[in-house]
Amino acid sequence: DPQAVCNWLKGEIMMHMNERNTDISGLNIRAADLAEIIGMTKNGTISGLAAKDVLRDCIDTGRKPADIVREKGVEQVSDESVLEGIITEVIAGNERSVNDFKEGKQNAVSFLVGQVMKLSGGRANPKLANEMLRKKLE
């Protein structure tokens, strides 16, 4: 994805180059590793925030992105059966926000997604959690 690569180069890679006062060759990151990070983000394996942390670790240590993701346990939870249990718990524990949503306050679902993220230790796939919450509440 050329656009994603461009965004990463202009954003995160430039930031690291500036922080370290170096050019791209001084960052200790291989093109294949950056491509792997971008791919893991696009396919939902890790979140954008986790991807930035993985990139930093790759640059700092020279290790492979997949090894860092596995070691840190930052894979997103996209298993609907796992999310279903968390969502059920969030709905049961947040009656006011559930009622707000049912009364038309669409932003209430953002709070509920936040609670799903909190219960999952930040690992739930937020897009999927949002979709599943809305479906369950409607």
Side-chain angles (χ1 to χ4, degrees):
D1 180 354
Q3 184 64 46
V5 171
C6 184
N7 290 341
W8 276 85
L9 289 173
K10 290 189 319 186
E12 292 301 308
I13 296 295
M14 287 294 289
M15 180 192 72
H16 288 286
M17 287 169 32
N18 290 334
E19 281 179 0
R20 292 162 172 80
N21 195 29
T22 188
D23 61 17
I24 197 163
S25 65
L27 287 185
N28 196 30
I29 184 82
R30 293 173 298 278
D33 293 337
L34 180 58
E36 184 177 353
I37 293 168
I38 293 168
M40 286 190 286
T41 305
K42 288 192 72 74
N43 71 20
T45 300
I46 58 175
S47 69
L49 185 59
K52 292 175 183 182
D53 290 338
V54 171
L55 175 66
R56 180 174 296 280
D57 281 356
C58 283
I59 291 169
D60 290 344
T61 67
R63 294 182 17 212
K64 294 287 189 188
D67 295 339
I68 294 167
V69 167
R70 196 170 22 261
E71 179 185 295
K72 288 189 163 205
V74 293
E75 299 94 346
Q76 285 193 123
V77 175
S78 295
D79 182 334
E80 290 188 18
S81 63
V82 172
L83 290 177
E84 183 71 30
I86 295 170
I87 288 169
T88 299
E89 186 175 341
V90 165
I91 288 172
N94 293 281
E95 187 175 328
R96 182 176 178 188
S97 292
V98 169
N99 289 335
D100 286 348
F101 177 80
K102 289 181 178 181
E103 291 171 2
K105 296 179 183 172
Q106 295 295 309
N107 62 347
V109 81
S110 297
F111 172 79
L112 295 170
V113 170
Q115 295 306 300
V116 170
M117 297 304 292
K118 185 177 178 181
L119 278 178
S120 70
R123 294 185 55 215
N125 179 323
K127 182 179 177 185
L128 183 56
N130 187 314
E131 291 168 3
M132 290 177 66
L133 265 165
R134 287 179 184 278
K135 188 174 181 180
K136 192 163 184 104
L137 292 173
E138 291 174 345

